[in-house]
Amino acid sequence: MAGSWSGTMQALQAVDTEYTADSVEWCPVEGCQHLLVCGTYQLRTPEDQPALDVSEPQVRLGRLYLYSFNEDNTAKPLVEVQRRDSSAILDMKWCHIPVSGHILLGLANANGSVELLRLMEYEKNSYTLQPISSLILEERCLSLSLDWSTGKPGRYPRGRLGGMVVCYLRKIWGLEEDGCDGSFCNASIQEAEAGGFQVVGDQPLKMISSDSKGQLHLLMLSEGAAELQRVASWPAHHFEAWIAAFNYWQTELVYSGGDDGLLRGWDTRMLGTPVFTSKRHSMGVCSIQSNPHQEHILATGSYDEHVLLWDTRNIKQPLADVPVKGGVWRLKWHPVHPHLLLAVCMHNGFKILNCQKAIEEKQDVTVLISQEMPNSLVYGADWSWLLFRSKKPTLTWSFDQNGMGAQAADHCSLKVAEGPPAPFQEQIVDHHVEGPTKAHRRAELNTSLLPLTEDMKSFSQLHCSSKICDLSPFSGGNFDSSLLSTCSFYDHVLHLWKWETK
């Protein structure tokens, strides 16, 4: 995708999820990157619970869908593999690496729990997700978000743990020695394993979650039984803590965003006081993601309808401020192209941003795609880890044969920017304004295929199509295509898209 970024967005499929859909995640693990999950959230209506006691919490229903992508089925490339009813799902993430040979999915749900599921292949190309562990974080609250510490590819070679994490683990397990200087020693991993936690390479496998009471919860995965164990919980925000995320380059550091309009950084070795607090967003902060390709780069989004890019070494002023005309519920960096950012803009659809000039030259962010989706509220989106390669673009559209896809096509409006947009005027916000922001709550929620890996190796082990025409995703003259999926409230639709660029 080097060079020109001109291209087209094609809608490949629209799937009715029955309940309103708010989370979609493609599997990042090699060999299963054709799988994706979609999570839903639905309030039980009053007629469904006629004897509703106002003192009782509302019942929030959910359903988890597992789909398999098949490029040869052009009419319906997404095929449902499994559905599983549950409490309403507010967020979910795949662990980026196998753990003890298993692929794991974490769910944040409406009963205040984080649930762990294991992907099982019970026969060739037939999969199911099986629950293996569940941990209640807090009674009478919603678990709103989660993130794994495994987001940076290749982070787990031996020798990368570092003395700071060793000291932290020693404190947790009562192994700290007087006068410890934080230097790394080989015994540290043995100590971690002795503490009963899963260690991958030199890294303890961690998860961070946030809840509707404004708290953050640091979890670790115990070895053997693959059970979640709470390491620490602490109050982070005055209202809902909409989002929590790791710094993928230093996983002792986590970030959080709340309905109080605050973006905060935390050092999990010294809890109690945030490392920083930014009031640069003027409303609730609901999306955060560390760039897995480039250290120190952080993207945040808010109900204030702005995406901010940060250099975490200077949190006083963002690198860029991008108005997107919709609350930014999720942000996703592209799995291969380090400067592409997918922004979920709720009532204003979704956008693809090119952040290269903003990061490297402190210039404006370019909006490459602005996909409007009237009559829907987009809450979930994710890039696929599969890559199409072709010599010429595909110009066909196909939808499910239920009328819904055609209707979606009628309402969608594509805008493709072939040059940089007009310069953005940076929002002026007083970092020192005190007090919570005005209430602005989440609606109701008060290929041929080339697997993308860091080193592009082990192709012989994967189920790749013979139609692959070029193993390099950056060669000129061909069309590179990214798959992505979105899901939305109200119209309860999971969309599959293909973005083709030259």
Side-chain angles (χ1 to χ4, degrees):
M1 282 191 198
S4 172
W5 285 94
S6 61
T8 57
M9 183 69 73
Q10 304 170 47
L12 300 182
Q13 190 176 358
V15 179
D16 186 355
T17 59
E18 299 181 14
Y19 293 163
T20 53
D22 62 354
S23 182
V24 61
E25 297 286 328
W26 286 86
C27 183
V29 181
E30 195 170 335
C32 289
Q33 294 167 340
H34 62 291
L35 300 176
L36 78 155
V37 286
C38 181
T40 64
Y41 177 108
Q42 187 81 32
L43 271 181
R44 180 176 292 177
T45 59
E47 54 266 27
D48 293 333
Q49 42 185 156
L52 182 65
D53 184 346
V54 293
S55 65
E56 291 296 319
Q58 291 179 294
V59 177
R60 295 173 170 88
L61 306 174
R63 183 175 294 149
L64 174 65
Y65 292 95
L66 175 65
Y67 295 96
S68 177
F69 175 82
N70 181 1
E71 64 163 331
D72 294 325
N73 189 346
T74 56
K76 297 181 180 181
L78 286 181
V79 177
E80 182 181 326
V81 175
Q82 180 190 8
R83 62 172 63 189
R84 177 177 177 269
D85 289 330
S86 66
S87 178
I89 299 167
L90 290 97
D91 195 17
M92 54 186 177
K93 297 288 193 306
W94 295 95
C95 184
H96 301 78
I97 55 174
V99 179
S100 299
H102 295 292
I103 298 174
L104 302 181
L105 176 70
L107 300 181
N109 61 39
N111 65 8
S113 298
V114 169
E115 188 174 4
L116 204 59
L117 296 94
R118 177 174 57 194
L119 182 68
M120 301 292 293
E121 186 175 13
Y122 56 89
E123 58 185 56
K124 187 176 181 180
N125 296 324
S126 297
Y127 299 89
T128 183
L129 285 164
Q130 297 180 347
I132 57 174
S133 178
S134 182
L135 179 65
I136 296 178
L137 303 179
E138 186 73 20
E139 298 288 348
R140 289 182 173 269
C141 79
L142 309 180
S143 180
L144 295 177
S145 75
L146 63 83
D147 194 19
W148 293 89
S149 59
T150 56
K152 180 184 179 299
R155 177 166 165 73
Y156 290 83
R158 191 163 186 81
R160 291 295 302 276
L161 179 62
M164 299 295 280
V165 176
V166 173
C167 291
Y168 168 54
L169 295 177
R170 285 175 171 166
K171 289 181 180 179
I172 294 175
W173 302 317
L175 298 170
E176 184 177 35
E177 301 173 1
D178 293 336
C180 175
D181 62 359
S183 60
F184 179 79
C185 64
N186 291 331
S188 301
I189 297 306
Q190 297 174 357
E191 293 169 357
E193 292 170 340
F197 290 108
Q198 181 73 43
V199 175
V200 181
D202 283 348
Q203 292 290 331
L205 194 58
K206 298 179 286 188
M207 183 186 290
I208 190 72
S209 183
S210 65
D211 69 33
S212 57
K213 292 185 177 180
Q215 301 175 104
L216 300 187
H217 307 273
L218 180 65
L219 313 176
M220 286 193 183
L221 194 63
S222 64
E223 195 168 9
E227 292 184 353
L228 290 169
Q229 296 186 19
R230 187 197 313 260
V231 175
S233 297
W234 67 97
H237 296 273
H238 297 298
F239 306 110
E240 291 91 338
W242 291 122
I243 189 71
F246 279 101
N247 180 325
Y248 293 144
W249 297 77
Q250 292 179 278
T251 57
E252 316 84 51
L253 304 180
V254 297
Y255 306 109
S256 65
D259 208 57
D260 51 12
L262 303 180
L263 167 65
R264 282 181 159 163
W266 306 87
D267 188 327
T268 57
R269 299 160 297 191
M270 299 177 291
L271 296 176
T273 303
V275 175
F276 70 83
T277 296
S278 172
K279 300 178 182 178
R280 186 62 171 76
H281 283 292
S282 60
M283 290 182 179
V285 179
C286 42
S287 56
I288 302 172
Q289 194 176 44
S290 170
N291 190 321
H293 310 288
Q294 191 164 354
E295 192 172 5
H296 309 303
I297 300 301
L298 186 72
T300 64
S302 166
Y303 285 133
D304 65 10
E305 304 185 351
H306 286 249
V307 173
L308 301 184
L309 295 180
W310 303 88
D311 184 327
T312 56
R313 295 166 294 185
N314 179 16
I315 210 69
K316 293 183 179 180
Q317 184 70 20
L319 294 173
D321 181 338
V322 188
V324 293
K325 299 181 180 180
V328 187
W329 187 250
R330 284 293 177 264
L331 291 166
K332 297 289 184 71
W333 292 101
H334 194 283
V336 163
H337 302 290
H339 302 110
L340 293 185
L341 183 63
L342 176 60
V344 177
C345 305
M346 298 171 73
H347 66 267
N348 199 35
F350 66 91
K351 298 180 186 294
I352 297 176
L353 311 178
N354 182 356
C355 304
Q356 183 168 4
K357 290 185 178 179
I359 294 172
E360 297 178 355
E361 305 172 19
K362 296 184 179 181
Q363 297 184 18
D364 292 317
V365 168
T366 302
V367 179
L368 300 174
I369 291 286
S370 182
Q371 176 67 61
E372 297 178 359
M373 300 178 67
N375 305 317
S376 68
L377 196 64
V378 183
Y379 266 109
D382 196 23
W383 299 100
S384 170
W385 292 63
L386 299 169
L387 180 68
F388 285 89
R389 299 288 295 134
S390 61
K391 294 293 184 181
K392 58 184 179 180
T394 302
L395 300 178
T396 59
W397 292 49
S398 69
F399 290 92
D400 283 357
Q401 303 300 313
N402 58 8
M404 177 181 57
Q407 182 181 10
D410 291 339
H411 286 295
C412 290
S413 171
L414 284 177
K415 297 179 181 178
V416 182
E418 304 219 1
F424 297 123
Q425 294 297 317
E426 186 173 87
Q427 179 192 28
I428 305 300
V429 178
D430 185 356
H431 268 60
H432 304 286
V433 175
E434 297 294 335
T437 61
K438 296 181 180 180
H440 188 112
R441 306 290 176 123
R442 176 182 181 179
E444 199 294 311
L445 281 181
N446 293 4
T447 102
S448 66
L449 302 177
L450 177 62
L452 302 181
T453 58
E454 186 184 47
D455 53 5
M456 310 300 285
K457 64 182 180 181
S458 302
F459 293 116
S460 62
Q461 302 174 6
L462 306 177
H463 304 289
C464 295
S465 167
S466 60
K467 299 176 186 177
I468 294 176
C469 59
D470 195 332
L471 294 182
S472 169
F474 300 104
S475 61
N478 296 329
F479 286 83
D480 296 324
S481 298
S482 290
L483 281 178
L484 58 135
S485 292
T486 62
C487 62
S488 49
F489 252 60
Y490 302 143
D491 57 355
H492 44 81
V493 176
L494 168 67
H495 278 104
L496 177 67
W497 308 88
K498 181 181 177 183
W499 180 41
E500 195 158 47
T501 61
K502 185 174 182 181

